[in-house]
Amino acid sequence: MEDKLTTVETAKELGLLPEEFDKICEILGRVPNFNELSVYSVMWSEHCSYKNSIVWLKTLPKDGERMLAKAGEENAGLVDIGDGLGCAFKIESHNHPSAIEPYQGAATGVGGINRDIFTMGARPIAQLNSLRFGNLQQERTKWIIRGVVKGIGDYGNAFGVPTVGGEVYFDDCFTVNPLVNAMSVGIVEKGKTVSAISYGVGNPVFIVGSHTGKDGIHGAAFASKDITEDSADDLPSVQVGDPFQEKLLLEATLEAIDTGAIIGMQDMGAAGIICSSSEMSAKGEHGMVIWLDKVPTRQANMKPWEILLSESQERMLIVCKKGHEDKLLAVFDKWDINCEQIGEVTAGERLHFYMHNELVADLPAESLVLGGGAPVYHREYREPAYLQEIAKYNNAAVPEPADLLPVMQHLATHPNLCSKKWVYQQYDSMVGTINMTTNQPSDASVVEVRGTDKALAMSVDCNSRYIYADPHKGTAIAVAEAARNIVCSGGEAVAVTNCLNFGNPYNPEVYWQFVGAIKGMSEACLALGTPVTGGNVSFYNQSSYEGPVYPSPVIGMVGILDNKNQHQTLYFKRPGDLIYVLGEMNNDLGSSQYIYSYHGIKHSSCPHFEIDAEVKLHQVLHQIRANNLAESMHDIADGGLFINLIESGFYNKLGFNISTDAALRTDAFLFGETQSRAVISIDPHEQPVLEKLLNASGIPFRLLGEVTEGAVRINGTEYPSIEAFGQLYDEALGQIMEA
Amino acid sequence: MKIGVVIFPGSNCDRDTLHVFGEVLGQQVVPLFHKETDMQGVDMVVLPGGFSYGDYLRSGAIARFSPIMEQVIAHANRGGYLMGICNGFQILTEAKLVPGTLLHNESRKFICKNVFLKPQTTNTLLTQGLSTSDVLQVPIAHGEGNYYIDADGLKALNDNDQVLFRYCDAAGNITAESNPNGALDNIAGVTNKGRNVFGMMPHPERAAEDILSNTDGLRILESLLSLVK
């Protein structure tokens, strides 16, 4: 064994707590050497161990009829979509790397999440992302945006899986610490999935893919601390991506699975070889011996701990059936990918790592992993002081503008609401030729499942402002909106993956936000029948300048259209069609983009939301769709009814002539963000049938007016045409970015 | 007709191309892996889109040296039909099988969106089923699609009727605004002098099914099928 023993001081430098160092000594029955201590420091980091979140994550609903793999069981969630197929999907953050090296940080985020999907044997068919950036007036913010978007594009485009949807938000709180969350969705034949497991004494262990370098060492630990002025010194913690290698790895991996030679497989993401070997071994209740000198490296003289912890991208660990090595080697040779045996499965439950015949680390696998020996903490939490500011908010005191046009122009060009064309046109959204929303836009992205009648609908949603105002209700809204998007697209909401982006969990006010978010998510997921299949927690999203970012539990949801022909689009079809709003109209302006940026009120209540009303709305929308009554269906979200209506009009350049409710404030009617509402347009002939259905349902509804040839008319006042608004909406972000 | 689709490492439209010729157009299709040298008796070869060899040098610069390409080039030199889409077009220009070259987009950004195309000639197998007054909506998805050729080359292209498509607006006007990438004279696709090799940046295979609500690309690909008649 390496002679140099460690001290509690070394442990602290590696990010471990003194009591964690004591626990390690207890587990090993001795003082760890530096290799071992490094291993614990990453495996027990927040990123790998979920030590500060797991207690609460376990309370999330994870049962459902369609579940094939529940949260925590595999690399990603897996749901049954019928026709003998499963859908694997997951979302993950790459926030810290993107903060200091936007291009590689975002690119490797895309690579990592796709590997999580194909390591299970599923072929990724669609990608989404959820991005939050800071103040657009700052050149540095634009630099981050350009880098992140190009990073996602270059990696995802070359990888050859369409980026079909996403969201982009801007707020000053994300200026230093942007949020970059990537989601991947894949399809696998039921029974052909591969587990991240290791068993069978004597079975050979292979490393496949890229050479191992010094990049990304301590990346998981880096992700588990605040961003400070010194963070740029952590640059080597950012990995470098190679999408070409990933594409080859995808094809080779799926082909290798077909040979039947594979026992188990796990991609190497955070904490590299040590993470894969320990998690697979712990799961299979076996030991493993690894000869680190056999790992192909990019540079000579890498230290054992560097090889163990390297987060070099595009690598997999494979446990192969003994005697079937040739099949594995043939496939990887065909694709010109490294495939080296570096160890074998052993009896017992210990991991032994050798370097040139010298034992350099000897650890019980179980002690390293989540659900095993990794620490579990109950953090204290308390209501944040800022909630008192929110409690002071008086909706009635918000002045109502005499002229609505400046508000309309403000909202139509606001970066949070306007077209994100400048971003998404840099992503290949059409490769794979299954994206049905390219030419038929709907609230959720819809892709056909080739070889079946079905389609999948998917959406990522989170309004951080709402969650800041009320984590519980705000997160429930995020779930509800994702489901609403799917329902408005003709689908049935099925299951959730989440990416929980918060500040430092040791700050009780931040932790209070986290706890509230989990409770709200549980409540909404139970009510909507969408279990949580897994996801990712990203704490420490805060900077020394701005404090914690707005809490951002991003919800990624997948839904099913049993028949792809039931795809419902969001845009107006014909002049003269009638426009209805379904759901409650009221005077609520809380947390709307309108009062936040037009009036500059940064502290206000979370929008009105009741889960029962949401469930009811979805039932009604399903009925409308089943009876084929609606020409268009579009949920009311950020920016309120007005933004909804112009978005419905752009595609066919059709406007609207509507009247508001005289009993309500006009600004609240048009720009308020009360939840559980949707707009539909119908052929006038369907009016009696629709109104009968709506009356029977008991949900509030209102005939707003009708679709026009292009004019925008509200309460008899003529505004600029839909084409004029369209131009503002389309070009706003590009003008800022190219300025 | 038997169509071979070459799979380079990094090709990512190979499956889409096999699907459209096989499933949608009902032709016999075979994948031709880059390491192979057996052309399997194909009538026509398609070089699909993607990022062959990662496009780490210039797009298409390395692919042209792969073993299968030697056979593909021989096939084209014998007068065999060969089509390159997107990255496939880039490979054709690198291999000098069609004139010109493809530079970075003027915006220096990757661009994925629907564009409109106007056929410029009906005197090729690929465009004979179209009309020069057609306006076809077909998507692009590339970072290097900015077609360039020197003045003499351009004159020869025009004189020999070798321009297949130009970018246009929805009404069919060939304008600067409708040019997505800065391509010289809005050129979106060209053929060689022998009129048996076709290169185009837009992806007809991405507009070839009802489920995608656009079949303009199918009209282009269907023209090829008259080869069997």
Side-chain angles (χ1 to χ4, degrees):
Chain A
M1 293 284 282
E2 207 169 82
D3 50 3
K4 200 176 141 209
L5 294 180
T6 55
T7 65
V8 69
E9 293 310 315
T10 329
K12 279 180 1 199
E13 277 171 35
L14 290 173
L16 288 161
L17 301 169
E19 58 265 38
E20 290 172 340
F21 181 72
D22 293 343
K23 195 175 168 190
I24 293 164
C25 294
E26 195 184 309
I27 289 167
L28 295 178
R30 57 179 168 79
V31 176
N33 67 24
F34 186 75
N35 298 321
E36 292 162 339
L37 190 65
S38 294
V39 163
Y40 279 102
S41 78
V42 292
M43 290 304 294
W44 286 10
S45 72
E46 190 66 51
H47 193 79
C48 291
S49 74
Y50 293 83
K51 60 188 170 189
N52 287 311
S53 59
I54 189 66
V55 170
W56 286 99
L57 295 178
K58 283 187 167 167
T59 67
L60 289 167
K62 52 181 179 179
D63 294 317
E65 287 171 11
R66 290 183 183 269
M67 288 300 140
L68 295 174
K70 288 184 198 168
E73 287 179 356
E74 292 295 346
N75 273 299
L78 188 65
V79 295
D80 190 343
I81 59 167
D83 293 301
L85 299 175
C87 170
F89 66 104
K90 190 182 180 186
I91 190 167
E92 207 164 71
S93 64
H94 241 215
N95 303 333
H96 283 73
S98 304
I100 58 169
E101 216 300 80
Y103 179 83
Q104 291 295 349
T108 52
V110 171
I113 193 62
N114 280 299
R115 273 196 306 287
D116 271 335
I117 301 304
F118 70 79
T119 193
M120 292 176 70
R123 178 178 281 278
I125 61 163
Q127 314 184 73
L128 299 93
N129 54 67
S130 172
L131 311 176
R132 283 169 179 72
F133 301 113
N135 187 333
L136 270 167
Q137 306 305 315
Q138 293 185 18
E139 213 35 60
R140 189 170 189 282
T141 303
K142 292 189 193 175
W143 171 76
I144 292 177
I145 298 171
R146 282 188 207 106
V148 166
V149 172
K150 189 163 169 52
I152 292 173
D154 282 0
Y155 203 103
N157 298 347
F159 184 56
V161 175
T163 300
V164 300
E167 54 171 10
V168 189
Y169 275 94
F170 303 90
D171 192 280
D172 289 357
C173 73
F174 303 112
T175 300
V176 172
N177 193 139
L179 301 183
V180 175
N181 297 175
M183 174 168 162
S184 177
V185 180
I187 296 280
V188 59
E189 277 178 54
K190 264 201 278 181
K192 281 203 172 177
T193 52
V194 174
S195 267
I197 196 166
S198 167
Y199 55 82
V201 174
N203 279 331
V205 177
F206 286 86
I207 189 169
V208 304
S210 294
H211 284 220
T212 298
K214 289 193 181 183
D215 54 333
I217 291 171
H218 284 299
F222 166 56
S224 304
K225 58 186 187 187
D226 297 353
I227 292 194
T228 65
E229 298 223 339
D230 299 329
S231 290
D233 299 341
D234 279 325
L235 203 55
S237 294
V238 181
Q239 312 86 338
V240 176
D242 178 355
F244 172 60
Q245 190 70 212
E246 175 110 334
K247 168 69 174 158
L248 301 185
L249 193 59
L250 163 72
E251 299 302 337
T253 301
L254 295 183
E255 219 170 286
I257 291 169
D258 280 340
T259 66
I262 293 179
I263 296 272
M265 173 163 61
Q266 184 167 348
D267 74 303
M268 287 189 226
I273 292 177
I274 185 61
C275 187
S276 311
S277 58
S278 61
E279 289 185 0
M280 291 174 77
S281 298
K283 185 167 186 174
E285 298 178 340
H286 271 68
M288 197 179 275
V289 57
I290 300 265
W291 310 295
L292 294 171
D293 44 290
K294 300 226 168 156
V295 175
T297 55
R298 263 182 228 158
Q299 54 209 108
N301 303 321
M302 278 180 73
K303 302 239 170 25
W305 61 273
E306 291 176 322
I307 298 172
L308 279 166
L309 268 54
S310 165
E311 295 187 5
S312 289
Q313 300 289 292
E314 295 92 24
R315 298 179 304 159
M316 300 272 201
L317 198 70
I318 295 179
V319 175
C320 176
K321 287 179 192 162
K322 195 170 175 59
H324 295 254
E325 295 88 342
D326 289 353
K327 295 181 193 166
L328 199 67
L329 290 165
V331 169
F332 286 95
D333 181 56
K334 173 186 166 187
W335 291 98
D336 298 315
I337 290 181
N338 287 314
C339 180
E340 288 291 330
Q341 187 182 346
I342 59 166
E344 64 182 38
V345 180
T346 58
E349 294 179 14
R350 288 189 87 87
L351 306 174
H352 295 99
F353 296 96
Y354 287 87
M355 189 82 176
H356 304 299
N357 296 320
E358 187 193 351
L359 183 65
V360 294
D362 174 2
L363 316 148
E366 184 75 7
S367 73
L368 296 170
V369 303
L370 163 71
V376 174
Y377 298 128
H378 293 259
R379 294 256 76 86
E380 62 165 315
Y381 52 94
R382 66 160 181 271
E383 191 175 290
Y386 72 80
L387 285 186
Q388 286 170 18
E389 290 297 307
I390 288 173
K392 286 183 207 155
Y393 168 69
N394 179 0
N395 198 74
V398 179
E400 187 167 357
D403 184 2
L404 296 176
L405 182 59
V407 184
M408 293 173 179
Q409 287 165 335
H410 170 80
L411 294 179
T413 57
H414 194 284
N416 281 349
L417 302 178
C418 72
S419 167
K420 307 302 186 294
K421 190 170 76 173
W422 185 89
V423 173
Y424 69 72
Q425 282 189 348
Q426 298 185 55
Y427 306 147
D428 190 338
S429 56
M430 304 185 209
V431 63
T433 63
I434 55 168
N435 185 354
M436 294 164 58
T437 26
T438 302
N439 298 312
Q440 295 295 328
S442 54
D443 280 0
S445 309
V446 178
V447 298
E448 74 160 322
V449 182
R450 209 167 260 171
T452 75
D453 292 333
K454 295 194 172 80
L456 292 180
M458 46 202 81
S459 186
V460 284
D461 293 281
C462 172
N463 187 316
S464 309
R465 269 198 323 272
Y466 300 173
I467 292 143
Y468 179 71
D470 183 340
H472 184 119
K473 198 199 277 188
T475 306
I477 290 175
V479 176
E481 195 195 333
R484 207 185 307 140
N485 284 333
I486 286 168
V487 172
C488 283
S489 308
E492 175 207 343
V494 168
V496 161
T497 178
N498 59 48
C499 197
L500 307 171
N501 308 277
F502 289 83
N504 187 326
Y506 291 83
N507 173 345
E509 296 195 346
V510 166
Y511 208 73
W512 183 88
Q513 296 172 330
F514 176 74
V515 171
I518 295 290
K519 289 179 176 170
M521 194 187 313
S522 289
E523 187 181 290
C525 286
L526 280 173
L528 294 164
T530 53
V532 177
T533 64
N536 164 238
V537 178
S538 172
F539 283 132
Y540 305 94
N541 291 292
Q542 58 184 68
S543 70
S544 24
Y545 316 102
E546 293 149 352
V549 298
Y550 280 178
S552 304
V554 174
I555 301 297
M557 195 180 282
V558 169
I560 298 178
L561 284 70
D562 278 327
N563 191 313
K564 41 192 125 173
N565 294 329
Q566 74 195 41
H567 181 209
Q568 182 82 55
T569 56
L570 66 79
Y571 62 92
F572 295 148
K573 301 296 183 299
R574 272 181 309 274
D577 280 356
L578 301 180
I579 306 170
Y580 282 84
V581 61
L582 314 186
E584 183 185 317
M585 301 301 283
N586 57 32
N587 275 334
D588 182 20
L589 290 168
S591 290
S592 61
Q593 186 66 50
Y594 164 58
I595 64 157
Y596 191 80
S597 58
Y598 189 81
H599 288 289
I601 300 171
K602 303 294 177 197
H603 288 91
S604 66
S605 52
C606 185
H608 175 75
F609 173 74
E610 280 172 30
I611 189 71
D612 293 345
E614 186 74 37
V615 172
K616 200 86 181 268
L617 176 75
H618 293 197
Q619 288 165 352
V620 173
L621 292 170
H622 277 306
Q623 284 172 17
I624 292 170
R625 204 253 313 131
N627 289 293
N628 220 2
L629 295 175
E631 296 296 322
S632 68
M633 205 178 263
H634 185 17
D635 93 306
I636 301 182
D638 310 34
L641 176 66
F642 173 73
I643 290 294
N644 171 298
L645 291 171
I646 59 172
E647 285 174 349
S648 304
F650 291 147
Y651 186 89
N652 278 331
K653 297 190 173 77
L654 296 173
F656 47 90
N657 180 11
I658 62 159
S659 51
T660 65
D661 184 342
L664 297 174
R665 293 173 60 139
T666 311
D667 60 346
F669 194 93
L670 292 173
F671 314 124
E673 297 184 14
T674 280
Q675 294 298 299
S676 312
R677 300 181 299 171
V679 166
I680 62 167
S681 67
I682 63 157
D683 185 304
H685 294 108
E686 306 286 6
Q687 184 170 19
V689 185
L690 177 77
E691 294 200 356
K692 192 172 164 213
L693 186 155
L694 292 176
N695 282 319
S697 76
I699 69 159
F701 69 94
R702 184 182 174 84
L703 173 61
L704 288 174
E706 62 174 34
V707 177
T708 69
E709 303 268 1
V712 172
R713 218 170 286 130
I714 300 173
N715 295 333
T717 304
E718 188 91 19
Y719 292 95
S721 69
I722 193 73
E723 225 172 328
F725 278 117
Q727 203 166 354
L728 290 176
Y729 179 91
D730 267 358
E731 291 169 8
L733 186 57
Q735 281 169 359
I736 297 170
M737 287 306 299
E738 301 297 334
Chain B
M1 181 158 58
K2 189 171 180 182
I3 297 164
V5 176
V6 177
I7 302 178
F8 297 105
S11 292
N12 65 26
C13 301
D14 47 328
R15 293 160 61 88
D16 302 350
T17 309
L18 288 164
H19 171 77
V20 77
F21 282 107
E23 303 292 320
V24 182
L25 288 167
Q27 302 303 305
Q28 196 186 347
V29 288
V30 287
L32 299 172
F33 199 62
H34 67 105
K35 289 181 176 176
E36 293 165 10
T37 50
D38 178 4
M39 293 281 279
Q40 301 183 45
V42 298
D43 302 301
M44 188 177 94
V45 178
V46 182
L47 308 182
F51 292 75
S52 55
Y53 300 89
D55 277 354
Y56 287 141
L57 183 52
R58 290 181 313 278
S59 296
I62 299 177
R64 75 181 178 96
F65 295 110
S66 66
I68 194 73
M69 273 307 283
E70 209 173 305
Q71 303 302 318
V72 170
I73 291 168
H75 163 85
N77 288 339
R78 284 194 303 268
Y81 284 105
L82 170 62
M83 177 177 187
I85 301 168
C86 199
N87 190 231
F89 184 16
Q90 293 162 345
I91 295 166
L92 291 180
T93 62
E94 287 288 339
K96 308 277 182 238
L97 289 170
V98 292
T101 188
L102 292 149
L103 308 175
H104 280 281
N105 295 346
E106 212 166 48
S107 66
R108 308 293 290 182
K109 290 190 191 70
F110 186 94
I111 304 169
C112 175
K113 65 174 184 180
N114 279 321
V115 298
F116 294 100
L117 299 180
K118 194 160 195 180
Q120 299 296 296
T121 175
T122 54
N123 182 24
T124 67
L125 181 68
L126 185 71
T127 55
Q128 63 182 0
L130 309 172
S131 152
T132 52
S133 59
D134 281 341
V135 178
L136 304 168
Q137 181 175 251
V138 182
I140 56 165
H142 58 245
E144 297 171 39
N146 177 359
Y147 186 81
Y148 178 77
I149 194 165
D150 62 24
D152 292 344
L154 181 64
K155 185 172 183 308
L157 274 184
N158 285 323
D159 290 351
N160 299 327
D161 197 22
Q162 282 173 257
V163 178
L164 295 170
F165 301 101
R166 283 192 160 87
Y167 300 108
C168 65
D169 63 19
N173 303 306
I174 297 166
T175 62
E177 293 72 39
S178 58
N179 183 342
N181 52 25
L184 185 72
D185 269 16
N186 285 40
I187 291 172
V190 297
T191 185
N192 63 340
K193 265 190 188 154
R195 307 186 94 73
N196 62 321
V197 183
F198 316 112
M200 63 188 291
M201 287 313 297
H203 286 272
E205 83 282 10
R206 296 185 180 189
E209 286 176 90
D210 289 334
I211 193 72
L212 303 175
S213 304
N214 183 1
T215 51
D216 285 4
L218 191 64
R219 292 190 52 207
I220 299 172
L221 299 176
E222 274 172 337
S223 292
L224 295 168
L225 301 190
S226 59
L227 189 58
V228 281
K229 285 169 197 160

